[in-house]
Amino acid sequence: MKIDPYQTIDQLYAAAADSFCELAVKCIRDAGRFRVSLSGGSTPKQLYEILSNRDLPWANIHWFWGDERNVPHSDADSNYLMVRDALLDRVSAPASNVHPVPVNVDDPAAAAVAYEATLKQHFPGQSMPAWDLALLGMGDDSHTASLFPGTKAIGETERWFTENWVEKFDSYRYTLTAPAINSAKQSWFLVSGVGKKTALANVLGDTRVPGLYPSQLISPTRWFVTVDAMA
Ligand code: 6PG
């Protein structure tokens, strides 16, 4: 695990964008494709905006969602819509490469099963999805993806993808499970802001309480962190 501290958020984004482009080009050179699981949130969003100005082999990148809200794709809270606006609608990303969660507001369990089947089609014969990269944010409550403290999905070890009731939102979310994130070849947290300081200290601390600090479930390969979020 590599923790990269940055003095400013702009330096963090520049480094993350450079690393993303380097990894994508390498994966495409070696395997002809780059399969990335995207995170929602404002920190990842600004990275997507920066990537939209980079020159990448868009036809060889496949975009998946690590988590989603239980709202229509047209809803302002949709992670799908956020990524479309911040990145995919600004570059020549083939529609066939974009794999959103098939949200079903009235039956999130069915939607989660359907997305899990989609993931298994893209990672055939694997016990868990071998993402080339899983991008992750972290909330000030130590959640990541939609693995929120005290929620059922935290304990899921068999499924790749599941619906998850989140009491504090009085709604369902959709999320990769922890093993389906840890199966990534590269997994990067993007964490910035003094508001994340306590959560980051808890997650990186010696006291392991994943039910309270769900980001502890993840063994990331890199942390991109601004110094204002570090103890
Ligand atoms: C979501 C995200 C979530 C997010 C964190 C960090 O759907 O909200 O997937 O896990 O990454 O909450 O969000 P910020 O970067 O906006 O703090």
Side-chain angles (χ1 to χ4, degrees), residues 4 21 37 42 93-94 124 128 131 155 157 163 174-175 187:
D4 298 299
C21 293
S37 167
S42 58
M128 284 288 164
W131 308 108
T157 57
E163 74 284 1
Y174 298 93
T175 187
S187 47

Side-chain angles (χ1 to χ4, degrees), residues 15-35:
D18 290 350
S19 296
F20 183 100
C21 293
E22 284 162 26
L23 182 61
V25 167
K26 180 183 182 305
C27 289
I28 291 165
R29 185 186 63 234
D30 297 349
R33 65 191 173 188
F34 180 58
R35 295 176 293 184

Side-chain angles (χ1 to χ4, degrees), residues 212-223:
L212 206 49
Y213 314 136
S215 291
Q216 287 186 333
L217 293 167
I218 309 306
S219 304
T221 52
R222 292 184 72 174
W223 288 87

Side-chain angles (χ1 to χ4, degrees), residues 13 38-45 66-69 77 79 136-141 143-148 173 190-192 196:
Y13 284 133
L38 299 170
S39 169
S42 58
T43 310
K45 177 181 178 184
D67 75 313
E68 184 54 281
R69 289 82 181 280
D77 282 343
N79 284 340
L136 300 165
M138 187 191 74
D140 58 10
D141 61 356
H143 84 266
T144 190
S146 283
L147 299 169
F148 285 87
R173 286 282 191 100
L190 307 175
V191 181
S192 179
K196 303 287 176 77

